[in-house]
Amino acid sequence: MEKTPPFRRLRGYAFDPSLSLKIDTVSINNICYKIEWEDLDESPSGNGKTVPTGEYIEVIDCDPATGVFYPPVDLNDRYLLAQDGLEPSVSDPQFHQQMVYVVLMTTIKNFEAALGRKIQWSQRYVPKPDDTSKIERSEFVARLRVYPHALRQANAYYDPQKKALLFGYFPAQRSRPELQLPGGNVFTCLSHDIIAHEVTHALLDGLHKRYIEPTHPDTRAFHEAFADMVALFQHFTFPEVLKHQVAKTGGDLAAQNLLGQLAQEFGKAIGGYGSLRDAIGHTDKLTGNWVPHDPDPNEYTTKMEFHDRGAILVAAVFDAFLSIYKQRIKKLLRIATNGSGILPKGDLHPDMVTLLSGYAADTASRVLKICVRALDYCPPIDINFGDYLRAIITADFDMVADDEHNYRIAFIEAFQKRGIYPSGIKSMSVEALTYEQYPEITLRGDDAEIFVDFLRRFKEQVAYLKDREEIHTITQEFIRGGRNAHMGLHSRINVKFLNTEVGKRFAELTGMAYPNTANKCKEMGMDYSTSSHTAKYSVENLWMANRVSPDGKIINDVIITMVQKRGVKASIKDGVFNIDGYYQPSEGDVEGGFIFRGGCTLIFDLDTMDLKYAIKKDINDKLRMERQFRYMNGRFKASASAGYFDEETLTGLSGPFAFMHSHH
């Protein structure tokens, strides 16, 4: 019987091809990725050709401009297996396929390690034939389609409708011949950073599909920032790269280095002076010198373009990482310097480089897991940077009760320096930022079998499944009802909470309107006596999270996200926001009308069946309605003194966001 190998080794670029043309970095840029083994098939692509196909992705190498289909790389070929895949090459389309595959799988597996479950792509929604504005059904998406040569332009992006990643190629600008071969082709599918960035958009869409909705400046900025963070911290998983940069900077990772930069080749090829984005500094356009970023708390209230705004969040998270790293190496530096803590000038001892690299790699790995895990602790809609800080603190508190290295303090300090303050809190302490727990809301009691047996049965059925489609099918049955679940989660919530006294408290915690919460419904102008005026809510996600904390504690949670929408008619008269009424979204377009959503993330402890956290966006939040209306109509207002634009205002937005990747 043949034994399946645990890993597959494939060669690729640590950054992009440009660093293989420099004598200082060629030895570290051509690396060998080690990814979890999976059986790769060749499946029909609909054009008479075959493409490499795995569990998560399908690489289709077609150049639409020429109509050419490049031959697929056979990663199961024994000769390629023997030599760790194809040698890195800018001119070989088959290596391009290998490069996108290995970086995509590296990123996917990092997400799964942090979340404690298999990832799922967002569902495909099929419209009704007679009314394309309505959804007939949703479909499971097994594989993301990946097109390495889809565009002849300086662009790359994730298409949520096609469930595809499209990478472009383009001739480098001639303005900077000393930085890039003039007119030479630059392939975005050969940049680790661009590949990791784009697939993170797809992964985030699968977790929280409504984060792309432009309800205020932070939503799309968060998408960009989070994708950049994942790409940045994956740099630290390359041992030789890390050792090289630690040695070059003398262990000071706050100095200019490759680890904090994104898409060097792309940035130079479009006429820039350096990388496309840099988490810790920038190149001065006048002098050409690199200078570090100084945190400016005013930027959060003035920068509205979403790439620029996202860079604020990236800088905050990277700053937190640097603070933690510096704290962890203090003891080592004292030992190495006889107590001074200041390293002498000159090259570091190789053993010191190895030790410092180990601390940097471990810290970066932990920070990346914290950042990904925090997505389970975010509201399902209308995300802002303050929400994300609270999610980071709460998620880490859940996993690590004793914050030995002060990770949480480092995050809080980094966000404070940049003027990012969550709304609704009284201080920036760890205790205030950690979401409150609600043990009075429980799934136990006389009717415990409604939930306890239900959720434990759900865990038993999905916890050990490996087939993602089977996991998806069973999960949908447990949400909506079906053969495996009988009564679905939506109906069980109605039975348990909506006709009881505790249901009133549940409605308050979730910020949503239910039939038995008459006062809230009256405030919303809704009449539940007729079904046409019922504000329906949707259970959007049901996830299991089985994680092991650093001290060996097993954490079993069930995560539920719910969303509700309503139609709001509004106007601004003499600078004052007015709610002119409400309407059912099914009525279609209404003058001055817009869709406003509320939602909640519920996290239950599967062992105690108590509600741990209810992270909400209230469906009746008038202030949030005003922010959204002003933003959608180009009349957004912000305040330098407000935490999350709570009070006073200052005009400054020219209009809605442009295409998400107009410059990348």
Side-chain angles (χ1 to χ4, degrees), residues 14 28 31-33 234-246 259 353-354 357-358 361:
I28 63 165
I31 65 170
C32 198
Y33 289 81
Q234 283 189 173
H235 290 164
F236 291 83
T237 64
F238 310 140
E240 295 308 313
V241 174
L242 188 52
K243 289 180 182 178
H244 179 277
Q245 292 297 290
V246 166
L259 300 169
V353 171
T354 299
S357 299

Side-chain angles (χ1 to χ4, degrees), residues 385-543:
F385 294 174
D387 294 333
Y388 188 57
L389 174 60
R390 297 197 70 181
I392 286 172
I393 302 304
T394 307
D396 191 59
F397 174 80
D398 249 13
M399 286 292 290
V400 185
D402 182 13
D403 188 12
E404 180 183 2
H405 299 297
N406 293 314
Y407 279 48
R408 298 193 273 275
I409 297 297
F411 275 104
I412 294 169
E413 183 181 29
F415 276 64
Q416 270 187 304
K417 286 179 181 178
R418 289 158 179 83
I420 302 172
Y421 302 99
S423 60
I425 60 169
K426 298 186 181 300
S427 76
M428 287 290 281
S429 66
V430 171
E431 295 76 17
L433 289 169
T434 305
Y435 282 111
E436 183 183 354
Q437 298 196 19
Y438 304 101
E440 78 273 18
I441 299 294
T442 177
L443 302 181
R444 295 167 290 164
D446 295 337
D447 53 356
E449 71 280 356
I450 293 176
F451 272 105
V452 176
D453 294 343
F454 172 78
L455 292 176
R456 287 181 176 160
R457 190 165 74 251
F458 173 67
K459 177 187 176 182
E460 291 169 0
Q461 293 202 27
V462 303
Y464 303 105
L465 287 179
K466 295 184 178 180
D467 185 282
R468 289 167 46 250
E469 184 169 9
E470 192 174 357
I471 294 172
H472 169 83
T473 300
I474 291 175
T475 300
Q476 292 304 309
E477 288 183 354
F478 272 81
I479 290 175
R480 299 187 175 95
R483 178 174 57 86
N484 289 287
H486 305 298
M487 185 191 296
L489 181 59
H490 188 283
S491 299
R492 289 169 188 269
I493 288 175
N494 286 334
V495 171
K496 171 64 179 177
F497 294 122
L498 303 192
N499 297 304
T500 63
E501 284 299 315
V502 76
K504 296 178 181 178
R505 175 67 170 145
F506 184 70
E508 178 186 337
L509 293 177
T510 60
M512 298 168 71
Y514 305 103
N516 71 324
T517 54
N519 290 335
K520 181 178 282 289
C521 299
K522 186 176 181 180
E523 291 175 5
M524 293 175 61
M526 294 182 178
D527 178 7
Y528 273 97
S529 62
T530 59
S531 59
S532 62
H533 287 82
T534 301
K536 297 179 180 179
Y537 68 93
S538 167
V539 176
E540 297 218 326
N541 293 306
L542 172 62
W543 297 318

Side-chain angles (χ1 to χ4, degrees), residues 103-123:
V103 176
L104 290 175
M105 292 309 301
T106 297
T107 310
I108 289 167
K109 291 305 176 180
N110 281 338
F111 265 72
E112 291 189 339
L115 293 173
R117 60 179 179 271
K118 290 246 183 192
I119 65 99
Q120 301 281 14
W121 307 119
S122 66
Q123 299 177 78

Side-chain angles (χ1 to χ4, degrees), residues 194-220:
I194 294 176
I195 299 168
H197 179 104
E198 300 308 336
V199 75
T200 299
H201 282 309
L203 290 162
L204 192 50
D205 186 41
L207 289 164
H208 295 293
K209 67 181 181 181
R210 300 197 184 278
Y211 279 9
I212 200 63
E213 295 176 352
T215 53
H216 61 73
D218 281 4
T219 53
R220 289 187 173 181

